[in-house]
Amino acid sequence: MVSDNIKFETFVDAQSTAFQEYVSSVIAKLPKTDKDYRSIQNKISGIYEQYPKVMDVFDTEQAAALTEQECEALITVVGLRNQLVEMETQAIYFRGCYDGVGYLKKAGIL
């Protein structure tokens, strides 16, 4: 049974917030609460420090010439960024599940 003292802050509760802002707030908590997420971010930062041109690929609309090592670093960064997106998607999914319980509780079903 769900405890009556759990406070649910669902998207409906935060209606003044745009949906994208609400989703962004869920994602913004990940570096603070998930050490694996933070570790991946740190790996990406380390690669950018070692290979600054790799970050340029993402930050500019101009073509970037990369060495073979920089290309390998870019492939690694893309893989790591995909892992972050997967973790973000999972966090949003579970937040939706959490909100679903909140909606049921507010409706008096739980």
Side-chain angles (χ1 to χ4, degrees):
M1 178 165 196
V2 177
S3 174
D4 288 335
N5 62 2
I6 295 176
K7 182 182 183 310
F8 291 97
E9 181 186 55
T10 64
F11 178 69
V12 171
D13 296 329
Q15 286 182 26
S16 64
T17 304
F19 180 72
Q20 191 56 45
E21 289 177 28
Y22 184 72
V23 169
S24 293
S25 72
V26 172
I27 293 170
K29 293 176 185 172
L30 284 172
K32 299 170 191 157
T33 60
D34 190 318
K35 68 178 181 172
D36 294 331
Y37 188 90
R38 195 170 43 252
S39 173
I40 292 170
Q41 284 185 317
N42 290 337
K43 286 179 188 176
I44 291 171
S45 293
I47 292 170
Y48 287 159
E49 286 177 23
Q50 187 174 359
Y51 301 103
K53 284 185 175 180
V54 171
M55 187 170 22
D56 292 343
V57 170
F58 298 107
D59 288 342
T60 176
E61 294 179 10
Q62 297 178 1
L66 301 177
T67 66
E68 186 176 333
Q69 287 179 325
E70 290 167 334
C71 285
E72 290 174 12
L74 175 61
I75 291 167
T76 301
V77 165
V78 170
L80 291 170
R81 287 174 68 153
N82 286 341
Q83 287 179 30
L84 291 178
V85 169
E86 185 177 317
M87 294 171 86
E88 291 165 359
T89 303
Q90 185 179 44
I92 293 166
Y93 171 81
F94 285 117
R95 181 59 199 217
C97 292
Y98 182 86
D99 287 354
V101 170
Y103 295 136
L104 294 173
K105 185 156 178 67
K106 283 182 181 245
I109 296 170
L110 289 178

